[in-house]
């Protein structure tokens, strides 16, 4: 009976796959993604280099669970139990110099792990939450943080000391001189009248004086006042503690109404403010333990600290004040021996990044490297205003390493802090990702796009630079987790039409990778998913633009085309790996099945092509990024026989914004478009993203007016679908409400709006995805097909 039931289920699955293979529908591809199969993510190793951990969900639970594969039995996938999960050494654990011990904090306990014996020892059960445990130079001493203070445990003496005294709030106020004068008069007058009281007061004074001489001096206390503390760090020798002081700016947020709240009442979601925020002030404080005092980092001598941006020349009648710009310091980053400390500093306007040597004794800086970008500082491995990115020390405790776009692409550099000499280690028209120094300190491990902008491979390279040796061979994206002993590569790999799977490979060039997971469902495998062709076409300014091309069967070709515009936030979608836009990828297969030619463009502003491409939208969103779409349409007409009068366009978020700009500013090219969760006025978007690209609306209104679709709505001639979630806390529903009113006032007719009451920026419900894409398909079928 069980055999018959099993065969029946297999036949059902086979039939389902067969039916799926015959035709795609919006309902099929927009259903819960679990139908596609089970795919791993977040791979890591155990401390011995024997077990690969990863997130997985073969049981179809609401969310992923932790699973493992032991490389000694690679065909067996096991779910990790609660007890084993608790015992996994966290990735943030700090190692001693010989890598034999690790220390970390969890649940108020300070844990020491001996790698050789596998033994865990609880050093301190602190009660309060503790974090940031690390070995000091004297490895018998371990520092950790609790309640905004640093504690040091001496393992050899079992003593625990609190080395800072940082408290919230303000120092108790001293009495005013006026109140003291009045009270002193009353006291003196009372003592003159009452002899017994006077004698007792004199006795008390003598006793207080004696106690003062024998009582140790009260330790220095630093009061935070109205500031917040972050990034508490202790120097390797335990002599200094540094921390950031944050003074929050009071910026007005936007309320997003929730009309479907469970209470039955309309409630408001408190969300972000708009571009032009007053910046929070961030200072770097240095706590000198020996002198028992705190002083602030002085950034006045940073090179170019008063420089004005180039765009001010467009406002000759405006008075621009030359003053020290606000900066955001991160670090310091200490050399292992504690001899040097380096600070990474960004200007608040994000046009400068300084790497400077910090004199901890004086709180002053010596500049080592300045990176200036008249657009904005960014790129792979460069981090953000509060730090992050690639940054650290070579084993010689003399060279720092970091990434920079100085050459036009993000590459790896080293710099000798003793003499300021800088060396570029990687070169070429490609980018570097996640460099890591080998255990023996002689090599780099790093990923690059050297083979192709849409391909990622793993390499090793001599520490001081030289020839890179490619370790991975599979065409696509090889996202590598190196085993702790560096013997194996655990590779999270995918290709254009194949979702992510785990492979295991020896850490040798040309070694053969072995596939460990195979998660595609039979229904997903049943359809022959296209491997989109990666093409290039020339833009109007002579630059070559990369794109993904989906071609229909010549017998089904209908002469119409759809151009897809991916979202932004520095993103690449023209590549040889499984796209994060998997629903759109499947929709493009459906469109091609129906006879459409589909083009997906990495327009100006996309990731993967260097600094000039990244900043090609500076001060004009809807400029080159839009003309790239127009040139893509021309390419389709010229090279693939598309009818120039039957081209549509669609996209979400930034893609929705470009769709609006296309229909408003290039109506002769695009007959129809679907703008999903689109920005309509950049003055209403957030500060961190928008101010980088367009500066601030009150300082650079030219940039905002030429970049915001709402100013060009009168240009609409084709057919427009607007779709937006009403709970969108990223691009607020207010954006499309204002645009709708503008279109109404202009008397425009060929537009419609679909609203989704329970959806945020990224849709969740399959019913919402289905409804949205059925409308998109109907729009194109109605307007582009004869």
């Amino acid at each position: 009976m069980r055999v018959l039931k099993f065969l029946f289920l297999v036949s059902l699955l086979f039939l389902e796959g067969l039916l799926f293979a015959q035709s795609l529908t919006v309902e099929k591809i927009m259903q819960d993604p679990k139908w596609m199969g089970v795919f791993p993510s977040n791979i890591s190793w155990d401390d011995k280099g024997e077990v690969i951990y990863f997130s997985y969900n073969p049981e179809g639970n609401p969310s992923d669970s932790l699973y493992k594969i032991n490389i000694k039995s690679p065909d067996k996938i096991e779910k990790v139990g609660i007890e084993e999960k608790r015992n996994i050494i966290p990735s943030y654990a700090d190692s001693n110099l010989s890598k034999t011990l690790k220390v970390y904090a969890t649940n108020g306990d300070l844990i020491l792990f001996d790698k050789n014996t596998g033994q865990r020892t609880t050093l301190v059960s602190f009660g309060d939450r503790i974090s940031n445990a690390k070995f000091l130079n004297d490895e018998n001493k371990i520092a950790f943080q609790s309640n905004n203070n640093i504690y040091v445990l001496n393992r050899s003496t079992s003593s625990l000391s609190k080395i800072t005294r940082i408290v919230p709030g303000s120092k108790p106020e001293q009495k005013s001189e006026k109140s003291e004068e009045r009270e002193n008069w009353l006291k003196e007058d009372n003592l003159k009248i009452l002899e017994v009281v006077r004698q007792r007061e004199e006795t008390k004074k003598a006793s207080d004086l004696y106690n003062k001489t024998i009582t140790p001096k009260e330790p220095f206390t630093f009061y935070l006042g109205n500031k917040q503390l972050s990034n508490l760090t202790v120097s390797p020798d335990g002599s200094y503690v540094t921390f950031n002081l944050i003074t929050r700016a009071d910026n007005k947020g936007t309320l997003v109404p929730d009309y479907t709240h469970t209470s039955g009442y309309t409630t408001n979601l408190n969300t972000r403010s708009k571009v032009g925020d007053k910046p929070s002030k961030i200072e770097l404080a240095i706590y000198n333990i020996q002198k028992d005092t705190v002083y602030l980092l002085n950034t006045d001598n940073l090179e170019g600290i008063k420089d004005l941006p180039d765009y001010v020349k467009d406002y000759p009648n405006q008075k621009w004040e030359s003053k020290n710009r606000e900066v955001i310091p991160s670090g310091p980053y200490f050399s292992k021996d504690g001899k040097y400390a380096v600070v990474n500093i960004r200007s608040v306007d994000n046009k400068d990044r300084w790497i400077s040597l910090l004199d901890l004794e004086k709180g002053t800086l010596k500049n080592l490297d300045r990176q200036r970008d008249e657009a904005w500082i960014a790129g792979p491995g460069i981090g953000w205003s509060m730090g992050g990115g690639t940054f650290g020390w070579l084993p010689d405790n003399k060279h720092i390493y970091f990434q920079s776009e100085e050459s036009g692409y993000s590459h790896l550099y080293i710099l000798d802090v003793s003499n300021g000499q800088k060396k570029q280690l990687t070169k070429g028209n490609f980018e570097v990702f996640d460099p890591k120094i080998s255990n023996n300190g002689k090599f780099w491990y790093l990923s690059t796009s050297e083979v192709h902008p849409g391909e990622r491979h793993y390499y090793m390279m001599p520490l001081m630079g030289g020839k890179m040796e490619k370790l991975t061979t599979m065409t696509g994206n090889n996202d590598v987790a190196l085993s702790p002993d560096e013997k194996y590569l655990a590779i999270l790999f995918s290709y254009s039409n194949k979702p992510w799977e785990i492979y295991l490979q020896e850490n040798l060039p040309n070694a053969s990778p072995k596939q460990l997971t195979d998660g595609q469902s039979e229904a997903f495998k049943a359809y022959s998913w296209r491997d989109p062709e990666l093409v290039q076409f020339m833009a109007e300014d002579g630059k070559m633009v990369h794109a993904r091309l989906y071609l229909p069967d010549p017998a089904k070709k209908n002469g119409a085309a759809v151009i897809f515009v991916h979202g932004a936030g520095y993103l690449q979608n023209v590549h040889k790996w499984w796209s994060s836009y998997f629903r759109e990828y499947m929709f493009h297969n459906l469109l091609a099945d129906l006879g459409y030619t589909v083009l997906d463009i990495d327009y100006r502003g996309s990731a993967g092509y260097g600094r000039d491409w990244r900043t090609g939208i500076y001060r004009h969103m809807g400029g080159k990024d839009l003309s790239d779409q127009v040139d893509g349409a021309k390419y389709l007409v010229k090279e693939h026989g598309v009818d120039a009068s039957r081209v549509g366009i669609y996209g979400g978020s930034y893609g929705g914004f470009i769709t609006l700009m296309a229909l408003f500013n290039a109506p002769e090219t695009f007959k129809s478009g679907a703008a999903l969760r689109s920005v309509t006025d950049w003055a209403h978007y957030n500060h961190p993203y928008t101010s980088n690209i367009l500066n601030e609306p009150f300082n650079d209104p030219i940039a905002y007016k030429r970049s915001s679709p709402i100013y060009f709505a009168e240009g609409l001639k084709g057919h427009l679908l607007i779709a937006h979630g009403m709970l969108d806390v990223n691009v607020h529903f207010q954006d499309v409400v204002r645009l709708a009113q503008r279109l109404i006032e202009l008397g425009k007719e060929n537009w419609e709006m679909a609203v989704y009451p329970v959806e945020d920026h990224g849709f969740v419900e399959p019913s919402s995805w289905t409804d949205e894409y059925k409308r998109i398909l109907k729009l194109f079928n109605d307007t582009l097909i004869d």
Side-chain angles (χ1 to χ4, degrees):
M1 191 70 180
R2 287 183 179 178
V3 174
L4 288 174
K5 186 176 181 182
F6 174 75
L7 290 173
F8 177 71
L9 289 172
V10 169
S11 63
L12 278 180
L13 286 171
F14 177 76
L15 182 62
E16 181 187 351
L18 214 66
L19 292 171
F20 193 94
Q22 290 173 1
S23 64
L24 294 181
T25 65
V26 171
E27 289 85 356
K28 288 177 181 177
I29 62 180
M30 295 298 163
Q31 63 183 299
D32 189 321
K34 290 176 183 176
W35 76 267
M36 298 162 57
V38 182
F39 307 111
S41 61
N42 305 320
I43 58 174
S44 62
W45 287 87
D46 76 321
D47 209 64
K48 294 181 179 179
E50 296 176 351
V51 175
I52 302 170
Y53 293 109
F54 54 98
S55 298
Y56 212 47
N57 193 0
E59 298 173 349
N61 293 319
S63 61
D64 287 359
S65 300
L66 190 66
Y67 280 74
K68 67 178 180 179
I69 296 174
N70 191 309
I71 62 173
K72 293 179 181 178
S73 51
D75 296 327
K76 187 178 181 182
I77 300 176
E78 298 178 279
K79 189 172 185 177
V80 177
I82 295 175
E83 191 62 30
E84 182 180 352
K85 190 174 181 180
R86 285 179 183 151
N87 288 328
I88 293 174
I89 305 300
S91 58
Y92 58 78
D94 187 55
S95 297
N96 64 347
L97 203 57
S98 63
K99 309 288 186 184
T100 57
L101 298 174
K102 286 192 172 185
V103 64
Y104 61 95
T106 179
N107 298 322
D109 293 339
L110 184 68
I111 309 294
L112 184 71
F113 173 70
D114 189 318
K115 188 174 179 181
N116 293 328
T117 64
Q119 183 178 354
R120 289 173 173 80
T121 304
T122 301
L123 301 177
V124 173
S125 289
F126 206 64
D128 290 334
R129 180 181 180 274
I130 60 178
S131 60
N132 300 335
K134 62 178 291 186
F135 289 98
L136 298 184
N137 277 355
D138 177 355
E139 294 185 347
N140 280 315
K141 295 180 178 179
I142 297 172
F144 62 89
Q145 176 183 343
S146 180
N147 290 325
N148 288 343
N149 279 285
I150 293 291
Y151 294 78
V152 173
L153 172 70
N154 190 323
R155 290 191 293 141
S156 60
T157 63
S158 298
S159 61
L160 180 66
S161 57
K162 181 179 179 181
I163 64 170
T164 62
R165 289 166 185 82
I166 303 171
V167 299
S170 301
K171 187 175 183 178
E173 292 185 7
Q174 299 291 329
K175 292 181 179 179
S176 67
E177 291 184 9
K178 205 165 190 179
S179 65
E180 283 186 358
E181 183 180 353
R182 181 185 71 246
E183 291 172 12
N184 286 340
W185 186 91
L186 289 171
K187 180 178 179 179
E188 292 299 324
D189 185 62
N190 196 44
L191 294 176
K192 289 176 183 177
I193 298 172
L194 305 175
E195 179 63 21
V196 172
V197 174
R198 184 183 64 77
Q199 290 176 359
R200 289 178 178 176
E201 177 66 11
E202 289 177 354
T203 302
K204 182 177 179 298
K205 281 183 178 180
S207 176
D208 289 345
L209 181 61
Y210 172 76
N211 289 332
K212 190 174 181 180
T213 60
I214 64 171
T215 302
K217 180 184 175 183
E218 183 179 344
F220 169 77
T221 301
F222 181 79
Y223 293 89
L224 292 172
N226 63 347
K227 300 176 182 179
Q228 296 176 359
L229 181 144
S230 72
N231 196 30
L232 196 61
T233 306
V234 60
S235 65
D237 63 1
S239 298
Y240 296 91
V241 171
T242 64
F243 51 93
N244 287 127
L245 293 170
I246 304 173
T247 305
R248 299 286 181 191
D250 185 18
N251 293 301
K252 184 177 181 180
T254 301
L255 298 176
V256 171
D258 180 356
Y259 295 101
T260 58
H261 192 265
T262 53
S263 67
Y265 291 87
T266 300
T267 60
N268 288 321
L269 305 176
N270 291 308
T271 69
R272 61 164 176 80
S273 56
K274 300 179 188 290
V275 63
D277 281 354
K278 298 174 184 175
S280 296
K281 185 175 182 179
I282 301 177
E283 303 164 288
L284 179 64
I286 302 165
Y287 200 131
N288 188 319
I289 303 299
Q290 293 175 343
K291 294 185 177 179
D292 206 16
T293 188
V294 171
Y295 39 90
L296 298 178
L297 174 69
N298 187 337
T299 60
D300 291 347
N301 67 338
L302 288 173
E303 177 189 349
I305 190 66
K306 294 185 178 182
D307 286 359
L308 292 171
D310 284 355
Y311 76 80
V312 301
K313 66 180 182 297
D314 286 348
Y315 302 94
N317 298 324
Q318 185 169 335
K319 186 176 180 181
W320 299 91
E321 183 182 357
S322 180
K323 60 181 181 179
N324 287 353
R325 285 175 289 156
E326 292 288 334
V327 298
I328 301 174
S330 62
Y333 303 87
F334 295 98
S335 58
K336 281 285 187 183
D337 61 5
K339 183 178 179 181
Y340 297 109
V342 170
V343 184
N344 187 22
I345 302 172
R346 298 284 275 266
S347 58
V348 167
D349 64 11
N350 207 16
K351 298 187 186 300
D352 277 283
R353 176 199 191 192
W354 297 272
I355 298 173
S356 301
L357 193 63
L358 171 62
D359 186 327
L360 288 161
E361 181 72 24
K362 299 176 182 176
T364 56
L365 298 171
K366 178 184 178 183
N367 197 49
L368 298 172
D369 186 69
R370 179 192 181 191
Q371 297 164 43
R372 170 76 176 181
D373 197 316
E374 283 296 337
W376 73 99
I377 298 284
I382 295 173
W384 52 92
S385 58
M386 284 296 288
T390 298
F391 205 95
W393 289 88
L394 266 56
D396 65 4
N397 289 311
K398 193 172 71 167
H399 287 85
I400 57 170
Y401 64 86
F402 57 92
Q403 285 182 241
S404 168
E405 285 187 321
E406 182 178 335
S407 69
Y409 287 80
S410 182
H411 280 291
L412 181 61
Y413 291 77
I414 59 173
L415 188 149
D416 188 332
V417 300
S418 66
N419 58 27
Q421 290 185 357
K422 183 170 65 172
K423 181 181 179 182
Q424 183 177 348
L425 298 188
T426 57
K427 297 178 182 179
N429 294 343
F430 62 90
E431 295 181 317
V432 168
F433 308 88
D434 305 318
K436 171 187 175 181
I437 298 174
S438 63
N439 289 342
N440 63 14
K442 295 180 179 180
F443 297 95
W444 290 100
Y445 290 105
L446 66 162
S447 297
T448 86
S449 57
E450 183 181 25
V451 171
H452 184 277
E455 203 169 328
R456 298 278 172 84
H457 284 283
Y458 202 59
Y459 296 79
M460 65 186 305
M461 179 182 72
L463 187 69
M464 302 308 286
K467 183 180 178 181
M468 294 193 303
E469 189 167 23
K470 188 157 74 76
L471 299 173
T472 52
T473 58
M474 295 182 291
T475 299
N477 190 338
N478 296 268
D479 186 2
V480 172
L482 185 66
S483 65
D485 56 11
E486 299 180 359
K487 292 181 179 179
Y488 293 97
L489 312 180
I491 307 171
L492 193 61
F493 171 81
S494 74
Y495 185 65
S496 303
N497 58 357
K498 297 176 182 177
W500 300 96
E501 303 289 1
I502 297 176
Y503 289 73
L504 179 66
Q505 178 188 314
E506 287 186 275
N507 184 14
L508 295 170
N510 299 314
S512 298
K514 174 182 172 61
Q515 185 171 344
L516 303 185
T517 61
D518 183 10
Q520 294 183 32
S521 68
E522 291 304 316
F524 185 81
K525 289 179 181 178
Y527 180 82
S528 181
W529 298 101
R530 287 171 174 81
D531 179 4
E533 182 183 354
L534 300 194
V535 299
Q536 295 184 63
F537 61 86
M538 184 175 289
E540 63 181 10
D541 62 356
K543 303 295 183 183
M544 297 304 295
V545 183
H546 291 257
R548 270 185 166 195
L549 178 65
Y550 299 76
L551 291 174
D553 185 321
K556 294 182 178 180
K557 186 174 181 179
N558 59 23
V562 172
I563 291 179
F564 169 67
V565 190
H566 68 66
Y570 201 47
L571 184 145
Q572 180 182 9
N573 202 44
V574 179
H575 49 61
K576 299 179 184 179
W577 61 85
W578 185 248
S579 176
S580 57
Y581 288 94
F582 62 91
R583 290 184 180 88
E584 290 79 358
Y585 164 77
M586 292 188 288
F587 183 61
H588 298 160
N589 276 265
L590 185 157
L591 288 174
D593 284 351
L594 296 175
Y596 289 91
T597 302
V598 183
L599 194 67
D600 174 0
I601 300 170
D602 269 349
Y603 51 87
R604 234 63 67 98
S606 297
Y609 309 97
R611 182 265 169 198
D612 291 346
W613 204 263
R614 175 180 68 78
T615 60
I617 57 175
Y618 178 57
R619 298 191 70 217
H620 193 182
M621 298 154 103
K624 290 181 180 179
D625 46 356
L626 173 58
S627 64
D628 286 345
Q629 316 297 329
V630 173
D631 292 330
K634 292 177 180 177
Y635 159 78
L636 293 178
V637 172
K638 181 180 179 181
E639 300 295 333
H640 295 283
V642 166
D643 185 338
S645 67
R646 293 194 286 143
V647 179
I649 188 170
Y650 88 103
S653 196
Y654 199 97
F657 151 73
I658 286 291
T659 298
L660 293 174
M661 292 295 266
L663 291 186
F664 296 169
N665 289 334
E668 70 287 347
T669 301
F670 300 102
K671 189 173 183 181
S672 60
L676 322 175
R677 48 197 174 275
S678 49
V679 176
T680 67
D681 187 343
W682 287 107
H684 290 258
Y685 197 53
N686 70 28
H687 184 83
Y689 178 80
T690 318
S691 63
N692 274 341
I693 305 172
L694 301 180
N695 304 306
E696 295 168 316
F698 45 82
N699 284 327
D700 196 2
I702 292 173
Y704 281 80
K705 287 186 177 179
R706 66 186 174 200
S707 299
S708 296
I710 200 164
Y711 291 103
F712 303 99
E714 66 274 7
L716 177 63
K717 293 179 182 178
H719 300 264
L720 170 63
L721 166 65
I722 300 170
H724 213 104
M726 295 179 73
L727 298 184
D728 195 330
V729 297
N730 181 12
V731 180
H732 298 150
F733 185 61
Q734 179 191 25
D735 264 52
V736 292
V737 171
R738 293 177 70 242
L739 178 62
Q741 180 59 27
R742 179 80 178 125
L743 292 170
I744 290 168
E745 292 176 7
L746 290 167
K748 299 296 180 179
E749 296 178 351
N750 294 332
W751 66 278
E752 63 177 335
M753 184 184 295
V755 300
Y756 298 87
V758 299
E759 296 294 357
D760 196 346
H761 194 62
F763 283 13
V764 174
E765 300 300 326
S767 57
S768 301
W769 282 106
T770 300
D771 181 89
E772 182 180 51
Y773 274 78
K774 285 174 71 174
R775 292 175 186 275
I776 296 169
L777 182 59
K778 184 177 186 303
L779 171 72
F780 291 145
N781 284 342
D782 289 349
T783 60
L784 303 181
I785 305 299
D786 290 338

